[in-house]
Amino acid sequence: MVWEIVALVAGAISIAIAAYLFKWVMSQVNESKAMSEFSEAIQEGSAAYLRRLFEALGLVALVLGGIILVAVGWRNALAYLVGSVCSASAGYAGMYVSTRANARVAWAAREGIKKAFPVGFYAGGVMGLAVVGVALIGMTVIYLLFRDAQVVLGFSFGASSLALLAKAGGGIYTKTADIGADLVGKVEFGLAEDDPRNPAVIADNVGDNVGDVAGMGADIFDSYVAAVVAVMILGYELYGSQPNGVQYVIYPLLLCAAGIIASLLGMLLVRTGESNDPGRALNTGTIVTSVFFALLALGVVFLLGIDKPWGVFWPTVAGLLAGVVIGFTSDYFTDIDQASVRNTANAAKTGPAILILEGFSYGLLSIVPSILGICVATIAAWFLAQQFGVAGTYGVSVAAVGMLAITGMIISADAYGPIVDNAKGCAVAGHESEEVIRVCDRLDAAGNTAKAITKGFAIGAAALTVLALFSAYAETVNLDVLDLRTPGVVVGMLLGAMMPPLFSAMVILSVGRNAFKMVEEIRRQFREIPGLIEGKVKPDSRLCVDIAARGALRELILPGLLALFAPLVVGFLLGKNALGGFLGGSIITGIIFALFMANAGGLWDNAKKYIEDGALGGPGSDAHKAAVVGDTVGDPFKDTAGPSLNTLITVMSLVSILFGSAIAQFALFGGL
Amino acid sequence: MVWEIVALVAGAISIAIAAYLFKWVMSQVNESKAMSEFSEAIQEGSAAYLRRLFEALGLVALVLGGIILVAVGWRNALAYLVGSVCSASAGYAGMYVSTRANARVAWAAREGIKKAFPVGFYAGGVMGLAVVGVALIGMTVIYLLFRDAQVVLGFSFGASSLALLAKAGGGIYTKTADIGADLVGKVEFGLAEDDPRNPAVIADNVGDNVGDVAGMGADIFDSYVAAVVAVMILGYELYGSQPNGVQYVIYPLLLCAAGIIASLLGMLLVRTGESNDPGRALNTGTIVTSVFFALLALGVVFLLGIDKPWGVFWPTVAGLLAGVVIGFTSDYFTDIDQASVRNTANAAKTGPAILILEGFSYGLLSIVPSILGICVATIAAWFLAQQFGVAGTYGVSVAAVGMLAITGMIISADAYGPIVDNAKGCAVAGHESEEVIRVCDRLDAAGNTAKAITKGFAIGAAALTVLALFSAYAETVNLDVLDLRTPGVVVGMLLGAMMPPLFSAMVILSVGRNAFKMVEEIRRQFREIPGLIEGKVKPDSRLCVDIAARGALRELILPGLLALFAPLVVGFLLGKNALGGFLGGSIITGIIFALFMANAGGLWDNAKKYIEDGALGGPGSDAHKAAVVGDTVGDPFKDTAGPSLNTLITVMSLVSILFGSAIAQFALFGGL
């Protein structure tokens, strides 16, 4: 009981500091009316979209809650609803502060990076700390009430199913607006990025907030909770009957508490200092946090009195290290100074086709370091655990938590990105000086570096988490072996492996369809609103916001249903072995497609930036036009489909565990 | 003994009829000097490339043969060399006749489709019949000599390793030339396809022959042999010790004999008839062949006296049916009349970016029907076998042979494609009338339909074949289970799953690099050769042929080494379980990427054709330019990377079986 209270206290501290930072950010001033107006339009658009989204998701939650109530039980149904609400609240809070921080960052940028950076970073910190605080308190309370890891799984499923829809919906929204704004505004009318005459600019900026802030927050919330739940379930199944075995169940909660404290210490030390280099400040923060966390984790292991302390400590550290290594190496292929980006940019000289082929190929090559990292982490965690007398599966799952425990710091650095990106939009809209825009650009560049690292972290962590969930599934349905030589498992794997590409295709087609409507509407406005192109009249941004929002919600239905029901169909039709194969297959292609899409997208983006920085003829050249095509292709890769795949495989795993016993009992061809 | 002689006789008949058809084709006349010259340039270029390729591969074969000699034994090493030589000869023969048939088809086209079609089709038939005849005789002789399925595996490995390099090399060659010719000739100078002023036109036509004819022949040769070998190994391992168990080992050889007879009957009935529709004629031929084959297979099962006749017959039919269904449905997504192609083409109105995204997404969606088909075939074959008392793994492997037995007909229809494609080139080069070119176009369109069907067949068959090889591997190394819950298998799967994307990326980058050099050379010729663009002087085609050939060979080294040695590294490092996982992972992503790349490429190609047929502004419009970008992106997808993946996964499976016992004995961390 005392340990659960420690976890609750850590969660409460996290939320309290988030509240403090929120007050501090809101106390910063912004005296530009034009920027305020721009910012308010974004606030309005974001809030309107999230309200709509949550209304729609509320309905989904009630239906799914009902199904869980009938098929699994009231405690899981309750936990599910609480999880959905917690995840939604954390996302909403992050969006709330980020849409209010943008203009304040832009105003502070008048006084230079040193003044502006903390506004952006602490606003991101509100999101980071709120997410981990709410998640930890939510899980701990559910566990205190029911003392059953399988019920905490309900909480996790609530968070994940919400995250999937928030992430995919946000991704469709943001890219609809972005592509629409670019294709008509930039290409047809030659407007600059964020030009306020462009009717889709507000929608584009709203998209950054609902996609990158709220969606991403929900996404990491979901991995964080799922990783903890997987350890809790495995701890219970493997050690629950031992004396003191419960320590293995609550260990991940205390790791999270340690991670929160470490993140707070790390955030205190994030300063741009004399170098004035915000990118380095963010990275230093991540590394300092990791070191503190490792020390605290050692304390937790011994204070908790786990009987095999080193068997849980070393896998934790292995996971943490793997996360840091994957994070810092994953941007190798997308770094603007690397051969992959240069070669891709050079291909632009022959037009868009070879550029697309190069980016596609380097994107595929880029999966290698991360997959090797995941493989090494898996084997290391497994052996380190076994070496010291703990089950290998438990070791792998603990490694996932070790990687995710410093989420508070990671999300803070990540949420910083869209905030400063929006700040630049505010500065442009407010007709600020070149100097201010340059400061915003530097802040933005640091955000992109941080984002690359987070992305590596997120995918690495998700991979270990789903491997852990996979073990939890096997324990839950009592699979002794999952034999790749049986037809059920083979067919299950093929079907599961098909899911991530299928889901990706569906959401990318959604973006295409929706962007088409957006393009028509922007063209209509330029055609029909006199004085718009001359800048005398304002565009009707609301209509564009509305197209993006409606489209995103409508297009979510099919992929959402697919994710939630495909595992049930496979399970109830072909049985628990086939479903195990299904999960295995989905994990494998899920990791591959997530890495490929994120990196290929980043690479095209940077190839374009490389040309915009003056290479190969610079902006306006034919090479630049080709690079813009590459960037547009990469947009839904990196911001819509890619980042949804983590959540997709997590949701499918959770569904399978939740309905596992029912599937084991009632499957039609269970003997496969 | 008598049954093996039946197989030998069938093989001999096949080769005899191939020789007869060859004589017939060569007896057709071509009286156009211009066409003869064009055709001779292609003959010369193709022969020069194949000689170079085989010289290089001869070295590879000697080195690999040496390794096999030391690590496995002299009998396997010998079989390996024989397999390489047989595969190379079949490919060479096909190339030889196809490069001589093209001008003859074009000349015959002066008298209409009815006269020209048989010339093209029977020239394709030479290739089809030579491949199956040589393969069947080769396997049967090796089996007669050594009576050991594992030695026949050496033959199969020889065929497959040669096929991998021939296919990938041919793919790099053909797309280097194609992209180079298009980018400079069509886009920069506005020349038509096959315009003789374009210095890369000969190289482009040579590419069709070395890529689509010789490469594809080697590829199907390899699946055909591998499928038979998998059944032989499983038959021996499962039933070898039973009385009359040897019938299970020689059954696949007799299925092949039945397939040859059925193909001959089917080919006799291929006539354009009154409808004058060559596409329908080819499809009718395929269906008729299937029906004959099913009847003959029934005869084989009973004459052979297999103790569980229905347990082998029904899986055979299931495989055959699945092949036909997958073949005829696999072009749904790439058919010019379908929504996927239309939507992709419509996206061209907004430029190339959305067109690429649409094609990419529909390409991903297109994997669904084929994967469902493979799943159903697997489960059906498994259960039908078990139902009648035969092992499920044996059933699945027999289904693969059932699918591939009618290869003679399938290759004939497929090789027809590049021949008539080249015929059009001859007609253009010979300044034939519009009418003749129109006839060639119609012949070509039928070739494309046939190609879509073959592609489905090839991938479906390869999928079942590698599943069968997977079982053969497990039997060979005595894997009782292959548990997805152990870290070795999981890590092996991740590594294996990484291979097909990695290989694809490497060969696509090769095409990009090589095409770049080709573009420079073509530009140089137009710049430096006076009178070239006016058509007064001929271009220096040899230099372009040389660039394509050198590049293809140089670029083969790295992916070739990867395919051959990656399984050995994983096996000797992580052990036989991890290697099992590795194969499983590679099969899954191999199938997915092969389907995706083939279909996305076909779809972009047809979207371009749709616009060229007059839609959306027709040729020359902005939409057409966008569609050309899509087509260029799709070219290496569908003709380089995609078709190599079948062979990649087959080669990796064969390497693993061949070195299986050594791996089981000497692996470093074999306990994973």
Side-chain angles (χ1 to χ4, degrees):
Chain A
M1 184 74 180
V2 60
W3 293 112
E4 286 89 336
I5 288 170
V6 169
L8 287 178
V9 169
I13 291 176
S14 190
I15 291 176
I17 294 186
Y20 172 78
L21 290 178
F22 174 69
K23 269 193 71 176
W24 182 82
V25 170
M26 294 303 282
S27 75
Q28 303 299 304
V29 290
N30 156 35
E31 295 173 2
S32 156
K33 189 160 164 287
M35 291 207 288
S36 294
E37 269 179 18
F38 186 79
S39 174
E40 276 158 22
I42 296 173
Q43 287 162 30
E44 214 176 278
S46 304
Y49 171 68
L50 281 195
R51 264 198 306 277
R52 267 196 192 172
L53 176 71
F54 290 150
E55 272 168 33
L57 295 190
L59 204 71
V60 175
L62 284 181
V63 173
L64 277 179
I67 296 179
I68 296 171
L69 182 67
V70 175
V72 190
W74 69 270
R75 300 184 311 164
N76 267 294
L78 178 67
Y80 167 80
L81 290 177
V82 175
S84 306
V85 171
C86 284
S87 167
S89 326
Y92 194 86
M95 185 280 297
Y96 189 88
V97 65
S98 73
T99 52
R100 277 152 185 83
N102 45 23
R104 292 176 166 87
V105 173
W107 186 259
R110 293 179 153 208
E111 293 175 47
I113 283 187
K114 223 166 181 166
K115 177 84 175 118
F117 176 75
V119 182
F121 178 67
Y122 289 136
V126 173
M127 171 80 168
L129 294 173
V131 162
V132 291
V134 170
L136 183 53
I137 290 181
M139 290 186 288
T140 311
V141 167
I142 299 277
Y143 181 69
L144 272 175
L145 285 178
F146 301 108
R147 296 268 167 210
D148 182 348
Q150 293 281 356
V151 177
V152 187
L153 183 86
F155 180 85
S156 177
F157 181 57
S160 291
S161 55
L162 187 117
L164 179 67
L165 300 171
K167 187 79 204 157
I172 296 172
Y173 188 114
T174 181
K175 290 304 121 176
T176 298
D178 189 10
I179 292 178
D182 282 3
L183 281 181
V184 186
K186 281 196 200 170
V187 179
E188 293 182 13
F189 289 90
L191 304 180
E193 175 90 30
D194 289 329
D195 189 309
R197 285 172 292 174
N198 192 332
V201 157
I202 298 287
D204 189 9
N205 280 279
V206 168
D208 288 343
N209 287 289
V210 302
D212 293 352
V213 179
M216 187 271 307
D219 175 21
I220 301 201
F221 187 101
D222 119 90
S223 293
Y224 187 75
V225 173
V228 169
V229 167
V231 181
M232 292 178 88
I233 291 180
L234 287 172
Y236 177 78
E237 298 281 344
L238 297 168
Y239 302 104
S241 52
Q242 289 180 15
N244 258 345
V246 72
Q247 312 299 47
Y248 288 91
V249 183
I250 59 172
Y251 175 61
L253 294 173
L254 287 159
L255 273 187
C256 289
I260 287 178
I261 307 300
S263 296
L264 288 172
L265 291 172
M267 285 169 75
L268 272 180
L269 293 171
V270 172
R271 295 250 180 285
T272 57
E274 290 316 305
S275 71
N276 247 350
D277 180 347
R280 192 194 285 177
L282 293 173
N283 289 350
T284 311
T286 303
I287 290 174
V288 167
T289 303
S290 303
V291 173
F292 279 127
F293 171 67
L295 295 174
L296 287 170
L298 190 62
V300 165
V301 165
F302 280 98
L303 287 174
L304 199 55
I306 285 181
D307 57 352
K308 307 267 171 51
W310 299 110
V312 302
F313 176 69
W314 289 122
T316 309
V317 173
L320 176 68
L321 273 181
V324 174
V325 171
I326 295 174
F328 280 88
T329 57
S330 71
D331 67 335
Y332 175 81
F333 277 92
T334 53
D335 193 286
I336 204 160
D337 294 325
Q338 292 303 332
S340 41
V341 170
R342 302 257 155 131
N343 288 345
T344 304
N346 273 324
K349 284 191 285 185
T350 60
I354 310 283
L355 174 115
I356 299 281
L357 286 170
E358 296 274 312
F360 180 85
S361 305
Y362 282 115
L364 289 178
L365 290 185
S366 75
I367 66 179
V368 176
S370 300
I371 288 194
L372 292 180
I374 292 165
C375 288
V376 170
T378 306
I379 291 190
W382 184 285
F383 276 99
L384 288 169
Q386 283 203 326
Q387 195 64 33
F388 296 99
V390 171
T393 46
Y394 188 80
V396 173
S397 64
V398 157
V401 177
M403 214 183 252
L404 279 161
I406 60 168
T407 290
M409 177 64 208
I410 300 287
I411 302 190
S412 303
D414 194 69
Y416 161 89
I419 293 171
V420 294
D421 188 29
N422 265 223
K424 192 190 154 191
C426 288
V428 173
H431 305 290
E432 293 291 323
S433 68
E434 285 283 305
E435 175 58 24
V436 172
I437 292 175
R438 216 183 50 79
V439 168
C440 289
D441 268 336
R442 283 197 55 199
L443 291 170
D444 192 20
N448 285 336
T449 312
K451 198 173 175 183
I453 292 171
T454 318
K455 210 171 53 193
F457 237 89
I459 296 173
L464 288 187
T465 300
V466 287
L467 289 177
L469 286 173
F470 184 62
S471 301
Y473 168 76
E475 290 293 339
T476 304
V477 299
N478 287 318
L479 280 187
D480 290 329
V481 295
L482 192 58
D483 191 355
L484 246 181
R485 299 188 50 209
T486 54
V489 175
V490 168
V491 165
M493 287 200 78
L494 276 172
L495 295 175
M498 200 170 75
M499 293 293 294
L502 197 54
F503 187 88
S504 304
M506 289 167 95
V507 297
I508 295 176
L509 286 175
S510 299
V511 170
R513 268 192 296 268
N514 228 16
F516 212 77
K517 286 186 197 140
M518 184 67 89
V519 164
E520 304 273 296
E521 171 60 22
I522 302 173
R523 284 184 183 154
R524 189 196 63 76
Q525 293 204 12
F526 277 119
R527 200 170 56 231
E528 296 181 4
I529 303 180
L532 175 56
I533 191 71
E534 295 83 12
K536 292 182 203 153
V537 186
K538 283 196 175 179
D540 189 349
S541 303
R542 271 165 196 261
L543 275 174
C544 290
V545 167
D546 198 56
I547 287 175
R550 269 173 199 281
L553 291 179
R554 190 184 49 241
E555 298 286 354
L556 267 182
I557 299 171
L558 212 57
L561 289 177
L562 182 76
L564 292 168
F565 290 101
L568 297 181
V569 171
V570 170
F572 282 110
L573 200 63
L574 305 176
K576 62 184 186 180
N577 291 325
L579 183 54
F582 180 88
L583 294 180
S586 74
I587 291 171
I588 283 167
T589 51
I591 295 173
I592 288 178
F593 273 85
L595 286 166
F596 155 63
M597 294 189 140
N599 291 342
L603 201 150
W604 281 313
D605 193 1
N606 277 336
K608 188 192 69 171
K609 286 192 181 135
Y610 176 67
I611 295 177
E612 284 176 351
D613 288 350
L616 304 167
S621 62
D622 279 348
H624 183 237
K625 279 181 197 140
V628 168
V629 171
D631 183 41
T632 310
V633 170
D635 265 342
F637 277 34
K638 73 177 195 306
D639 293 322
T640 310
S644 305
L645 294 178
N646 291 344
T647 320
L648 172 73
I649 53 183
T650 310
V651 165
M652 297 201 302
S653 302
L654 291 169
V655 161
S656 306
I657 302 176
L658 199 56
F659 290 88
S661 0
I663 284 167
Q665 220 176 326
F666 300 113
L668 196 58
F669 300 107
L672 276 170
Chain B
M1 186 73 180
V2 61
W3 293 113
E4 286 90 336
I5 288 169
V6 169
L8 286 177
V9 169
I13 291 176
S14 189
I15 291 176
I17 294 186
Y20 172 78
L21 290 179
F22 174 70
K23 270 192 72 176
W24 182 83
V25 169
M26 294 303 281
S27 74
Q28 302 300 304
V29 290
N30 156 35
E31 295 173 2
S32 157
K33 190 161 163 286
M35 291 208 286
S36 296
E37 270 180 18
F38 186 80
S39 175
E40 275 158 22
I42 295 173
Q43 287 161 31
E44 214 176 278
S46 304
Y49 172 69
L50 280 195
R51 264 200 304 277
R52 266 196 193 172
L53 176 72
F54 290 151
E55 272 167 33
L57 294 190
L59 205 70
V60 174
L62 285 182
V63 172
L64 277 179
I67 296 178
I68 296 171
L69 182 66
V70 175
V72 190
W74 71 269
R75 302 183 308 166
N76 268 293
L78 179 68
Y80 167 81
L81 289 176
V82 175
S84 306
V85 171
C86 284
S87 166
S89 326
Y92 194 86
M95 186 280 297
Y96 190 89
V97 64
S98 73
T99 54
R100 278 154 185 81
N102 45 23
R104 291 175 166 86
V105 174
W107 187 259
R110 292 176 155 213
E111 294 175 46
I113 283 188
K114 224 168 183 166
K115 175 86 176 123
F117 176 76
V119 182
F121 179 68
Y122 289 136
V126 174
M127 171 80 167
L129 294 173
V131 162
V132 292
V134 170
L136 183 54
I137 291 180
M139 289 186 290
T140 311
V141 168
I142 298 276
Y143 181 71
L144 272 174
L145 286 178
F146 302 107
R147 295 268 169 211
D148 182 348
Q150 292 283 355
V151 177
V152 187
L153 182 85
F155 180 86
S156 177
F157 181 57
S160 291
S161 54
L162 188 117
L164 179 67
L165 298 171
K167 188 77 205 158
I172 296 173
Y173 187 114
T174 180
K175 289 304 122 176
T176 297
D178 189 10
I179 292 178
D182 282 3
L183 280 181
V184 187
K186 281 195 199 170
V187 179
E188 294 181 12
F189 290 90
L191 304 178
E193 176 90 29
D194 289 328
D195 189 310
R197 286 173 292 172
N198 193 334
V201 156
I202 298 286
D204 188 10
N205 280 279
V206 168
D208 288 344
N209 286 289
V210 301
D212 293 353
V213 179
M216 186 272 307
D219 175 21
I220 301 198
F221 187 102
D222 120 90
S223 293
Y224 187 74
V225 174
V228 170
V229 168
V231 181
M232 292 178 87
I233 290 181
L234 286 172
Y236 176 77
E237 298 282 343
L238 296 167
Y239 303 104
S241 53
Q242 288 180 16
N244 258 343
V246 74
Q247 312 299 48
Y248 288 91
V249 182
I250 59 172
Y251 175 61
L253 293 173
L254 288 159
L255 273 188
C256 288
I260 286 177
I261 307 301
S263 295
L264 288 172
L265 292 172
M267 285 168 76
L268 274 180
L269 293 170
V270 171
R271 294 251 181 283
T272 57
E274 291 316 305
S275 72
N276 246 349
D277 179 349
R280 193 193 286 177
L282 293 173
N283 288 349
T284 311
T286 302
I287 289 174
V288 168
T289 302
S290 302
V291 173
F292 280 127
F293 171 68
L295 296 174
L296 288 169
L298 190 62
V300 166
V301 164
F302 281 97
L303 288 174
L304 200 54
I306 284 181
D307 56 353
K308 308 268 172 47
W310 299 110
V312 303
F313 176 71
W314 287 123
T316 308
V317 173
L320 176 68
L321 274 181
V324 174
V325 170
I326 293 174
F328 280 86
T329 57
S330 71
D331 67 334
Y332 175 80
F333 277 92
T334 52
D335 194 285
I336 205 159
D337 294 325
Q338 291 303 329
S340 42
V341 170
R342 303 257 155 133
N343 288 344
T344 304
N346 273 325
K349 284 192 285 184
T350 61
I354 310 283
L355 174 115
I356 299 281
L357 286 170
E358 297 274 310
F360 180 86
S361 305
Y362 281 114
L364 289 178
L365 289 184
S366 75
I367 66 179
V368 175
S370 300
I371 288 194
L372 293 180
I374 293 166
C375 287
V376 171
T378 305
I379 291 190
W382 185 285
F383 276 97
L384 288 168
Q386 283 204 327
Q387 195 63 33
F388 296 100
V390 171
T393 47
Y394 188 83
V396 173
S397 63
V398 158
V401 178
M403 215 183 251
L404 278 160
I406 60 169
T407 290
M409 177 62 207
I410 298 285
I411 301 191
S412 304
D414 194 69
Y416 160 90
I419 293 170
V420 293
D421 187 28
N422 265 223
K424 193 193 154 191
C426 289
V428 173
H431 305 290
E432 292 292 323
S433 68
E434 284 285 305
E435 175 58 24
V436 173
I437 292 176
R438 216 182 52 77
V439 169
C440 289
D441 268 336
R442 281 197 57 199
L443 292 170
D444 192 20
N448 286 336
T449 312
K451 198 171 174 183
I453 292 169
T454 319
K455 211 171 50 191
F457 237 89
I459 296 174
L464 288 187
T465 301
V466 286
L467 288 178
L469 286 174
F470 184 63
S471 302
Y473 168 77
E475 291 292 340
T476 303
V477 300
N478 287 318
L479 280 186
D480 290 328
V481 295
L482 192 58
D483 190 357
L484 246 182
R485 298 188 51 209
T486 56
V489 175
V490 168
V491 166
M493 286 200 79
L494 274 171
L495 294 174
M498 200 169 75
M499 294 292 294
L502 197 55
F503 187 88
S504 304
M506 289 166 97
V507 297
I508 294 176
L509 285 174
S510 299
V511 171
R513 266 192 297 269
N514 228 17
F516 212 77
K517 286 186 197 137
M518 184 67 87
V519 164
E520 304 273 296
E521 171 61 22
I522 302 172
R523 284 185 183 153
R524 189 195 65 75
Q525 294 203 11
F526 276 121
R527 201 171 54 231
E528 296 179 4
I529 301 178
L532 175 56
I533 191 71
E534 295 83 13
K536 294 181 200 153
V537 187
K538 281 196 177 180
D540 189 348
S541 303
R542 271 167 195 260
L543 275 174
C544 291
V545 167
D546 198 55
I547 287 174
R550 269 172 198 279
L553 291 180
R554 193 184 45 241
E555 298 287 354
L556 267 183
I557 300 172
L558 212 58
L561 289 177
L562 183 77
L564 292 169
F565 290 101
L568 297 182
V569 171
V570 170
F572 282 110
L573 201 62
L574 303 176
K576 63 183 185 180
N577 291 324
L579 183 54
F582 180 89
L583 296 179
S586 73
I587 292 171
I588 283 168
T589 52
I591 295 172
I592 288 178
F593 273 85
L595 287 165
F596 155 63
M597 292 188 141
N599 292 342
L603 200 149
W604 280 314
D605 193 2
N606 278 336
K608 188 191 70 172
K609 286 191 181 132
Y610 176 66
I611 294 178
E612 284 174 350
D613 288 349
L616 304 168
S621 61
D622 279 347
H624 184 237
K625 280 181 195 141
V628 168
V629 171
D631 184 40
T632 309
V633 170
D635 265 342
F637 276 34
K638 73 178 195 306
D639 294 322
T640 310
S644 304
L645 293 179
N646 291 344
T647 322
L648 173 72
I649 53 183
T650 311
V651 165
M652 297 202 303
S653 302
L654 291 169
V655 162
S656 306
I657 302 176
L658 200 55
F659 291 88
S661 359
I663 284 167
Q665 220 176 326
F666 299 114
L668 196 58
F669 301 106
L672 277 170

